[in-house]
Amino acid sequence: DTAYTYVNDTTVLLAAAPASSLRVEVRRVTPLAARLVDYTDGSTLVAADLDTSSLQSLYNEQELKDTLENLQALLSIDPITNLTTLAGGRITNVGNPVNNQDAATKSFVNLAFTRDLGSLA
């Protein structure tokens, strides 16, 4: 995240140039938890309120679709091996295994291997 300003409807100016190794992603984030329009009984129903309410729903749906497509591009099932693939990505922030078939972190395996070697001495 970095500070930015809108120059016009189609141009955003970043406060600082990102490092050449970084990827710049511009993404719309529409509020999901709070409604942008609160209808009240007896009030006048105007087109602008209906449009805003409808656009909030449309934008949320589009943003969800974008997120799911990005995940599908990374996470998929290989049609030949039927194994999960991450397109070269890493799984991070993983807890230690509990059950026999749980995935194990490198740290957990290294510690178990070191303990097993120590018991051989």
Short mmCIF file of all heavy atoms in Angstrom, two decimals, residues 2-62:
data_model
loop_
_atom_site.label_atom_id
_atom_site.label_comp_id
_atom_site.label_asym_id
_atom_site.label_seq_id
_atom_site.Cartn_x
_atom_site.Cartn_y
_atom_site.Cartn_z
N THR A 2 0.46 2.21 -0.77
CA THR A 2 1.17 3.47 -0.80
C THR A 2 0.17 4.60 -1.02
O THR A 2 -0.93 4.37 -1.51
CB THR A 2 2.25 3.47 -1.92
OG1 THR A 2 3.05 4.63 -1.80
CG2 THR A 2 1.63 3.42 -3.30
N ALA A 3 0.56 5.80 -0.65
CA ALA A 3 -0.33 6.95 -0.83
C ALA A 3 -0.46 7.26 -2.32
O ALA A 3 0.48 7.07 -3.09
CB ALA A 3 0.23 8.15 -0.07
N TYR A 4 -1.62 7.75 -2.68
CA TYR A 4 -1.88 8.09 -4.08
C TYR A 4 -2.93 9.21 -4.15
O TYR A 4 -3.64 9.47 -3.19
CB TYR A 4 -2.39 6.88 -4.87
CG TYR A 4 -3.69 6.34 -4.35
CD1 TYR A 4 -4.91 6.79 -4.86
CD2 TYR A 4 -3.72 5.39 -3.33
CE1 TYR A 4 -6.11 6.30 -4.36
CE2 TYR A 4 -4.91 4.90 -2.83
CZ TYR A 4 -6.10 5.36 -3.35
OH TYR A 4 -7.28 4.89 -2.86
N THR A 5 -2.99 9.86 -5.29
CA THR A 5 -4.03 10.86 -5.55
C THR A 5 -4.59 10.62 -6.95
O THR A 5 -3.89 10.11 -7.83
CB THR A 5 -3.47 12.30 -5.48
OG1 THR A 5 -2.36 12.42 -6.37
CG2 THR A 5 -3.04 12.66 -4.08
N TYR A 6 -5.86 10.98 -7.11
CA TYR A 6 -6.48 10.91 -8.43
C TYR A 6 -6.17 12.20 -9.17
O TYR A 6 -6.53 13.28 -8.73
CB TYR A 6 -8.00 10.74 -8.31
CG TYR A 6 -8.43 9.38 -7.84
CD1 TYR A 6 -8.76 9.16 -6.51
CD2 TYR A 6 -8.49 8.32 -8.73
CE1 TYR A 6 -9.15 7.90 -6.08
CE2 TYR A 6 -8.88 7.06 -8.31
CZ TYR A 6 -9.21 6.86 -6.97
OH TYR A 6 -9.59 5.62 -6.55
N VAL A 7 -5.51 12.07 -10.32
CA VAL A 7 -5.23 13.23 -11.15
C VAL A 7 -6.48 13.60 -11.93
O VAL A 7 -6.86 14.76 -12.04
CB VAL A 7 -4.05 12.95 -12.11
CG1 VAL A 7 -3.82 14.11 -13.05
CG2 VAL A 7 -2.80 12.63 -11.30
N ASN A 8 -7.15 12.57 -12.47
CA ASN A 8 -8.42 12.74 -13.17
C ASN A 8 -9.14 11.39 -13.13
O ASN A 8 -8.74 10.50 -12.40
CB ASN A 8 -8.22 13.27 -14.61
CG ASN A 8 -7.28 12.40 -15.41
OD1 ASN A 8 -7.38 11.17 -15.39
ND2 ASN A 8 -6.35 13.02 -16.12
N ASP A 9 -10.19 11.23 -13.93
CA ASP A 9 -10.98 9.99 -13.90
C ASP A 9 -10.21 8.75 -14.34
O ASP A 9 -10.61 7.63 -14.04
CB ASP A 9 -12.22 10.13 -14.78
CG ASP A 9 -13.27 11.03 -14.15
OD1 ASP A 9 -13.16 11.32 -12.94
OD2 ASP A 9 -14.19 11.45 -14.87
N THR A 10 -9.11 8.92 -15.05
CA THR A 10 -8.39 7.76 -15.57
C THR A 10 -6.92 7.69 -15.15
O THR A 10 -6.19 6.82 -15.60
CB THR A 10 -8.43 7.78 -17.11
OG1 THR A 10 -7.81 8.99 -17.59
CG2 THR A 10 -9.86 7.69 -17.63
N THR A 11 -6.48 8.61 -14.26
CA THR A 11 -5.07 8.66 -13.90
C THR A 11 -4.90 8.74 -12.39
O THR A 11 -5.55 9.55 -11.73
CB THR A 11 -4.38 9.88 -14.55
OG1 THR A 11 -4.60 9.85 -15.96
CG2 THR A 11 -2.89 9.87 -14.27
N VAL A 12 -4.00 7.89 -11.87
CA VAL A 12 -3.67 7.88 -10.44
C VAL A 12 -2.18 8.19 -10.34
O VAL A 12 -1.36 7.66 -11.07
CB VAL A 12 -3.97 6.50 -9.82
CG1 VAL A 12 -3.49 6.44 -8.39
CG2 VAL A 12 -5.45 6.19 -9.90
N LEU A 13 -1.83 9.06 -9.39
CA LEU A 13 -0.44 9.43 -9.16
C LEU A 13 0.01 8.85 -7.83
O LEU A 13 -0.58 9.14 -6.79
CB LEU A 13 -0.29 10.96 -9.15
CG LEU A 13 1.10 11.51 -8.88
CD1 LEU A 13 2.06 11.12 -10.01
CD2 LEU A 13 1.04 13.02 -8.73
N LEU A 14 1.06 8.00 -7.87
CA LEU A 14 1.60 7.41 -6.64
C LEU A 14 2.50 8.43 -5.95
O LEU A 14 3.20 9.19 -6.60
CB LEU A 14 2.40 6.15 -6.96
CG LEU A 14 1.65 5.02 -7.64
CD1 LEU A 14 2.59 3.86 -7.91
CD2 LEU A 14 0.48 4.57 -6.80
N ALA A 15 2.49 8.43 -4.61
CA ALA A 15 3.31 9.37 -3.84
C ALA A 15 4.79 9.09 -4.04
O ALA A 15 5.61 10.00 -4.04
CB ALA A 15 2.95 9.29 -2.37
N ALA A 16 5.15 7.82 -4.22
CA ALA A 16 6.55 7.44 -4.45
C ALA A 16 6.59 6.32 -5.48
O ALA A 16 5.69 5.48 -5.52
CB ALA A 16 7.17 6.97 -3.14
N ALA A 17 7.61 6.34 -6.29
CA ALA A 17 7.76 5.30 -7.31
C ALA A 17 8.11 3.99 -6.63
O ALA A 17 8.97 3.94 -5.75
CB ALA A 17 8.84 5.68 -8.30
N PRO A 18 7.43 2.89 -7.01
CA PRO A 18 7.76 1.59 -6.41
C PRO A 18 9.08 1.06 -6.96
O PRO A 18 9.52 1.46 -8.03
CB PRO A 18 6.60 0.71 -6.84
CG PRO A 18 6.07 1.35 -8.09
CD PRO A 18 6.33 2.82 -7.95
N ALA A 19 9.70 0.17 -6.20
CA ALA A 19 10.92 -0.49 -6.67
C ALA A 19 10.60 -1.26 -7.94
O ALA A 19 9.48 -1.72 -8.14
CB ALA A 19 11.46 -1.42 -5.59
N SER A 20 11.59 -1.40 -8.80
CA SER A 20 11.35 -2.06 -10.09
C SER A 20 10.94 -3.53 -9.92
O SER A 20 10.32 -4.10 -10.80
CB SER A 20 12.60 -1.97 -10.96
OG SER A 20 13.68 -2.64 -10.34
N SER A 21 11.26 -4.12 -8.78
CA SER A 21 10.90 -5.53 -8.55
C SER A 21 9.46 -5.70 -8.07
O SER A 21 8.97 -6.82 -8.00
CB SER A 21 11.86 -6.15 -7.53
OG SER A 21 11.72 -5.46 -6.30
N LEU A 22 8.80 -4.62 -7.73
CA LEU A 22 7.45 -4.70 -7.19
C LEU A 22 6.40 -4.62 -8.29
O LEU A 22 6.62 -4.00 -9.33
CB LEU A 22 7.19 -3.58 -6.18
CG LEU A 22 8.02 -3.62 -4.91
CD1 LEU A 22 7.69 -2.44 -4.02
CD2 LEU A 22 7.79 -4.91 -4.16
N ARG A 23 5.28 -5.24 -8.04
CA ARG A 23 4.14 -5.21 -8.96
C ARG A 23 3.16 -4.15 -8.45
O ARG A 23 2.86 -4.08 -7.27
CB ARG A 23 3.47 -6.57 -8.97
CG ARG A 23 2.27 -6.65 -9.87
CD ARG A 23 1.67 -8.02 -9.80
NE ARG A 23 1.05 -8.18 -8.49
CZ ARG A 23 0.08 -9.04 -8.24
NH1 ARG A 23 -0.34 -9.85 -9.17
NH2 ARG A 23 -0.45 -9.13 -7.04
N VAL A 24 2.67 -3.34 -9.36
CA VAL A 24 1.67 -2.33 -9.00
C VAL A 24 0.30 -2.87 -9.39
O VAL A 24 0.09 -3.27 -10.53
CB VAL A 24 1.93 -0.99 -9.72
CG1 VAL A 24 0.82 0.01 -9.43
CG2 VAL A 24 3.29 -0.43 -9.31
N GLU A 25 -0.59 -2.90 -8.43
CA GLU A 25 -1.94 -3.40 -8.68
C GLU A 25 -2.92 -2.31 -8.30
O GLU A 25 -2.88 -1.78 -7.19
CB GLU A 25 -2.21 -4.66 -7.87
CG GLU A 25 -3.57 -5.25 -8.13
CD GLU A 25 -3.77 -6.56 -7.39
OE1 GLU A 25 -2.85 -7.01 -6.66
OE2 GLU A 25 -4.85 -7.13 -7.54
N VAL A 26 -3.80 -1.98 -9.22
CA VAL A 26 -4.85 -1.01 -8.95
C VAL A 26 -6.15 -1.79 -8.84
O VAL A 26 -6.52 -2.53 -9.75
CB VAL A 26 -4.96 0.04 -10.08
CG1 VAL A 26 -6.08 1.02 -9.81
CG2 VAL A 26 -3.62 0.76 -10.24
N ARG A 27 -6.81 -1.63 -7.71
CA ARG A 27 -7.99 -2.44 -7.45
C ARG A 27 -9.08 -1.57 -6.81
O ARG A 27 -8.80 -0.77 -5.93
CB ARG A 27 -7.62 -3.57 -6.50
CG ARG A 27 -8.76 -4.48 -6.16
CD ARG A 27 -8.39 -5.49 -5.11
NE ARG A 27 -7.16 -6.18 -5.46
CZ ARG A 27 -6.70 -7.21 -4.81
NH1 ARG A 27 -7.34 -7.68 -3.77
NH2 ARG A 27 -5.59 -7.79 -5.16
N ARG A 28 -10.29 -1.76 -7.26
CA ARG A 28 -11.43 -1.09 -6.63
C ARG A 28 -11.87 -1.94 -5.45
O ARG A 28 -11.96 -3.15 -5.53
CB ARG A 28 -12.58 -0.97 -7.64
CG ARG A 28 -13.82 -0.31 -7.07
CD ARG A 28 -14.99 -0.33 -8.04
NE ARG A 28 -15.40 -1.70 -8.29
CZ ARG A 28 -15.77 -2.18 -9.49
NH1 ARG A 28 -15.78 -1.40 -10.53
NH2 ARG A 28 -16.13 -3.43 -9.63
N VAL A 29 -12.13 -1.30 -4.31
CA VAL A 29 -12.62 -2.00 -3.12
C VAL A 29 -13.91 -1.31 -2.69
O VAL A 29 -13.89 -0.19 -2.21
CB VAL A 29 -11.59 -1.99 -1.98
CG1 VAL A 29 -12.13 -2.71 -0.76
CG2 VAL A 29 -10.28 -2.62 -2.44
N THR A 30 -15.01 -2.00 -2.88
CA THR A 30 -16.32 -1.47 -2.54
C THR A 30 -16.73 -1.96 -1.16
O THR A 30 -16.56 -3.14 -0.87
CB THR A 30 -17.37 -1.93 -3.58
OG1 THR A 30 -16.90 -1.54 -4.89
CG2 THR A 30 -18.72 -1.31 -3.34
N PRO A 31 -17.27 -1.08 -0.32
CA PRO A 31 -17.70 -1.53 1.01
C PRO A 31 -18.69 -2.68 0.91
O PRO A 31 -19.64 -2.63 0.14
CB PRO A 31 -18.38 -0.30 1.62
CG PRO A 31 -17.93 0.85 0.80
CD PRO A 31 -17.57 0.32 -0.55
N LEU A 32 -18.45 -3.73 1.68
CA LEU A 32 -19.32 -4.89 1.67
C LEU A 32 -20.20 -4.93 2.91
O LEU A 32 -21.35 -5.32 2.85
CB LEU A 32 -18.46 -6.16 1.58
CG LEU A 32 -19.19 -7.49 1.47
CD1 LEU A 32 -20.05 -7.53 0.21
CD2 LEU A 32 -18.19 -8.63 1.44
N ALA A 33 -19.67 -4.50 4.03
CA ALA A 33 -20.39 -4.62 5.29
C ALA A 33 -21.42 -3.51 5.51
O ALA A 33 -22.40 -3.70 6.21
CB ALA A 33 -19.41 -4.64 6.46
N ALA A 34 -21.18 -2.36 4.92
CA ALA A 34 -22.08 -1.22 5.14
C ALA A 34 -22.78 -0.83 3.84
O ALA A 34 -22.15 -0.73 2.79
CB ALA A 34 -21.29 -0.03 5.67
N ARG A 35 -24.08 -0.63 3.92
CA ARG A 35 -24.83 -0.20 2.74
C ARG A 35 -24.53 1.26 2.45
O ARG A 35 -24.44 2.08 3.38
CB ARG A 35 -26.33 -0.38 2.96
CG ARG A 35 -26.73 -1.84 3.05
CD ARG A 35 -28.20 -1.98 3.29
NE ARG A 35 -28.50 -1.41 4.62
CZ ARG A 35 -29.71 -1.20 5.08
NH1 ARG A 35 -30.75 -1.46 4.35
NH2 ARG A 35 -29.86 -0.71 6.28
N LEU A 36 -24.41 1.60 1.18
CA LEU A 36 -24.17 2.99 0.80
C LEU A 36 -25.46 3.79 0.80
O LEU A 36 -25.43 5.02 0.87
CB LEU A 36 -23.52 3.05 -0.59
CG LEU A 36 -22.12 2.43 -0.68
CD1 LEU A 36 -21.59 2.53 -2.10
CD2 LEU A 36 -21.17 3.10 0.30
N VAL A 37 -26.60 3.11 0.70
CA VAL A 37 -27.90 3.78 0.72
C VAL A 37 -28.75 3.12 1.81
O VAL A 37 -28.85 1.90 1.86
CB VAL A 37 -28.63 3.65 -0.64
CG1 VAL A 37 -30.01 4.29 -0.58
CG2 VAL A 37 -27.79 4.27 -1.76
N ASP A 38 -29.33 3.95 2.65
CA ASP A 38 -30.22 3.46 3.70
C ASP A 38 -31.62 3.97 3.39
O ASP A 38 -31.90 5.16 3.53
CB ASP A 38 -29.76 3.95 5.07
CG ASP A 38 -30.60 3.37 6.20
OD1 ASP A 38 -31.24 2.33 5.99
OD2 ASP A 38 -30.60 3.98 7.28
N TYR A 39 -32.48 3.08 2.93
CA TYR A 39 -33.85 3.46 2.60
C TYR A 39 -34.67 3.61 3.87
O TYR A 39 -34.51 2.84 4.81
CB TYR A 39 -34.50 2.39 1.70
CG TYR A 39 -33.79 2.20 0.38
CD1 TYR A 39 -32.94 1.12 0.18
CD2 TYR A 39 -33.96 3.10 -0.64
CE1 TYR A 39 -32.30 0.94 -1.03
CE2 TYR A 39 -33.32 2.94 -1.87
CZ TYR A 39 -32.49 1.86 -2.05
OH TYR A 39 -31.84 1.69 -3.23
N THR A 40 -35.52 4.61 3.90
CA THR A 40 -36.41 4.80 5.06
C THR A 40 -37.85 4.88 4.58
O THR A 40 -38.12 5.41 3.48
CB THR A 40 -36.04 6.08 5.83
OG1 THR A 40 -36.09 7.20 4.94
CG2 THR A 40 -34.66 5.98 6.44
N ASP A 41 -38.76 4.36 5.38
CA ASP A 41 -40.19 4.41 5.06
C ASP A 41 -40.65 5.85 4.90
O ASP A 41 -40.27 6.72 5.69
CB ASP A 41 -41.01 3.74 6.16
CG ASP A 41 -40.84 2.23 6.18
OD1 ASP A 41 -40.43 1.68 5.14
OD2 ASP A 41 -41.11 1.61 7.23
N GLY A 42 -41.45 6.10 3.90
CA GLY A 42 -42.05 7.41 3.68
C GLY A 42 -41.15 8.41 2.98
O GLY A 42 -41.57 9.52 2.69
N SER A 43 -39.87 8.01 2.70
CA SER A 43 -38.98 8.95 2.01
C SER A 43 -39.19 8.84 0.50
O SER A 43 -39.78 7.88 0.00
CB SER A 43 -37.52 8.67 2.36
OG SER A 43 -37.15 7.39 1.89
N THR A 44 -38.72 9.83 -0.22
CA THR A 44 -38.82 9.83 -1.67
C THR A 44 -37.77 8.90 -2.25
O THR A 44 -36.59 8.98 -1.90
CB THR A 44 -38.62 11.26 -2.22
OG1 THR A 44 -39.57 12.12 -1.60
CG2 THR A 44 -38.78 11.30 -3.71
N LEU A 45 -38.21 8.03 -3.12
CA LEU A 45 -37.30 7.09 -3.78
C LEU A 45 -36.78 7.76 -5.05
O LEU A 45 -37.55 8.05 -5.96
CB LEU A 45 -38.07 5.80 -4.11
CG LEU A 45 -37.25 4.61 -4.54
CD1 LEU A 45 -36.25 4.21 -3.46
CD2 LEU A 45 -38.16 3.44 -4.84
N VAL A 46 -35.49 8.02 -5.10
CA VAL A 46 -34.91 8.72 -6.25
C VAL A 46 -33.97 7.79 -7.01
O VAL A 46 -33.39 6.86 -6.44
CB VAL A 46 -34.16 10.01 -5.81
CG1 VAL A 46 -35.13 11.02 -5.22
CG2 VAL A 46 -33.06 9.70 -4.83
N ALA A 47 -33.84 8.08 -8.28
CA ALA A 47 -33.03 7.24 -9.16
C ALA A 47 -31.58 7.16 -8.69
O ALA A 47 -30.96 6.10 -8.78
CB ALA A 47 -33.09 7.76 -10.59
N ALA A 48 -31.03 8.25 -8.20
CA ALA A 48 -29.62 8.25 -7.76
C ALA A 48 -29.40 7.24 -6.64
O ALA A 48 -28.38 6.54 -6.62
CB ALA A 48 -29.21 9.65 -7.32
N ASP A 49 -30.34 7.15 -5.68
CA ASP A 49 -30.21 6.18 -4.60
C ASP A 49 -30.31 4.75 -5.12
O ASP A 49 -29.56 3.87 -4.69
CB ASP A 49 -31.29 6.41 -3.53
CG ASP A 49 -31.03 7.65 -2.70
OD1 ASP A 49 -29.88 8.16 -2.71
OD2 ASP A 49 -31.97 8.11 -2.03
N LEU A 50 -31.24 4.52 -6.03
CA LEU A 50 -31.38 3.19 -6.62
C LEU A 50 -30.12 2.81 -7.40
O LEU A 50 -29.65 1.68 -7.32
CB LEU A 50 -32.61 3.12 -7.53
CG LEU A 50 -33.96 3.20 -6.82
CD1 LEU A 50 -35.08 3.33 -7.84
CD2 LEU A 50 -34.17 1.99 -5.94
N ASP A 51 -29.58 3.76 -8.16
CA ASP A 51 -28.36 3.50 -8.92
C ASP A 51 -27.19 3.19 -8.00
O ASP A 51 -26.44 2.25 -8.24
CB ASP A 51 -28.01 4.71 -9.81
CG ASP A 51 -28.97 4.90 -10.96
OD1 ASP A 51 -29.73 3.95 -11.27
OD2 ASP A 51 -28.97 5.99 -11.56
N THR A 52 -27.04 3.98 -6.93
CA THR A 52 -25.94 3.76 -5.98
C THR A 52 -26.05 2.39 -5.33
O THR A 52 -25.07 1.65 -5.23
CB THR A 52 -25.93 4.85 -4.90
OG1 THR A 52 -25.73 6.12 -5.55
CG2 THR A 52 -24.82 4.62 -3.88
N SER A 53 -27.24 2.04 -4.91
CA SER A 53 -27.47 0.74 -4.28
C SER A 53 -27.18 -0.40 -5.25
O SER A 53 -26.53 -1.39 -4.90
CB SER A 53 -28.90 0.66 -3.76
OG SER A 53 -29.13 -0.54 -3.11
N SER A 54 -27.66 -0.25 -6.46
CA SER A 54 -27.45 -1.29 -7.48
C SER A 54 -25.97 -1.41 -7.84
O SER A 54 -25.45 -2.51 -7.99
CB SER A 54 -28.28 -0.95 -8.72
OG SER A 54 -28.04 -1.87 -9.73
N LEU A 55 -25.29 -0.27 -7.97
CA LEU A 55 -23.86 -0.30 -8.32
C LEU A 55 -23.03 -0.93 -7.21
O LEU A 55 -22.06 -1.64 -7.48
CB LEU A 55 -23.35 1.11 -8.63
CG LEU A 55 -23.76 1.66 -9.98
CD1 LEU A 55 -23.34 3.12 -10.12
CD2 LEU A 55 -23.18 0.83 -11.11
N GLN A 56 -23.41 -0.69 -5.94
CA GLN A 56 -22.67 -1.32 -4.85
C GLN A 56 -22.75 -2.83 -4.97
O GLN A 56 -21.73 -3.53 -4.83
CB GLN A 56 -23.21 -0.87 -3.49
CG GLN A 56 -22.41 -1.46 -2.35
CD GLN A 56 -22.92 -1.06 -0.97
OE1 GLN A 56 -24.04 -0.57 -0.82
NE2 GLN A 56 -22.09 -1.26 0.04
N SER A 57 -23.91 -3.35 -5.26
CA SER A 57 -24.07 -4.80 -5.43
C SER A 57 -23.29 -5.30 -6.64
O SER A 57 -22.61 -6.33 -6.58
CB SER A 57 -25.55 -5.16 -5.58
OG SER A 57 -26.24 -4.87 -4.41
N LEU A 58 -23.38 -4.58 -7.74
CA LEU A 58 -22.66 -4.97 -8.95
C LEU A 58 -21.16 -4.96 -8.73
O LEU A 58 -20.46 -5.91 -9.09
CB LEU A 58 -23.03 -4.03 -10.11
CG LEU A 58 -22.28 -4.23 -11.41
CD1 LEU A 58 -22.61 -5.59 -12.02
CD2 LEU A 58 -22.58 -3.11 -12.39
N TYR A 59 -20.64 -3.90 -8.11
CA TYR A 59 -19.20 -3.81 -7.87
C TYR A 59 -18.72 -4.91 -6.94
O TYR A 59 -17.66 -5.51 -7.16
CB TYR A 59 -18.83 -2.44 -7.29
CG TYR A 59 -19.02 -1.29 -8.25
CD1 TYR A 59 -19.07 0.01 -7.78
CD2 TYR A 59 -19.15 -1.48 -9.62
CE1 TYR A 59 -19.23 1.09 -8.64
CE2 TYR A 59 -19.31 -0.41 -10.48
CZ TYR A 59 -19.35 0.87 -9.99
OH TYR A 59 -19.52 1.93 -10.83
N ASN A 60 -19.48 -5.21 -5.88
CA ASN A 60 -19.10 -6.30 -4.98
C ASN A 60 -19.04 -7.62 -5.73
O ASN A 60 -18.13 -8.43 -5.52
CB ASN A 60 -20.07 -6.40 -3.80
CG ASN A 60 -19.77 -5.40 -2.71
OD1 ASN A 60 -18.61 -5.17 -2.39
ND2 ASN A 60 -20.79 -4.79 -2.15
N GLU A 61 -20.00 -7.86 -6.59
CA GLU A 61 -20.02 -9.09 -7.38
C GLU A 61 -18.82 -9.16 -8.32
O GLU A 61 -18.17 -10.20 -8.45
CB GLU A 61 -21.33 -9.17 -8.17
CG GLU A 61 -21.53 -10.50 -8.85
CD GLU A 61 -22.90 -10.59 -9.52
OE1 GLU A 61 -23.86 -9.99 -9.01
OE2 GLU A 61 -22.99 -11.27 -10.55
N GLN A 62 -18.50 -8.05 -8.98
CA GLN A 62 -17.35 -8.02 -9.89
C GLN A 62 -16.04 -8.24 -9.13
O GLN A 62 -15.15 -8.96 -9.60
CB GLN A 62 -17.30 -6.68 -10.63
CG GLN A 62 -18.39 -6.52 -11.65
CD GLN A 62 -18.44 -5.10 -12.22
OE1 GLN A 62 -17.94 -4.16 -11.62
NE2 GLN A 62 -19.07 -4.98 -13.38
#
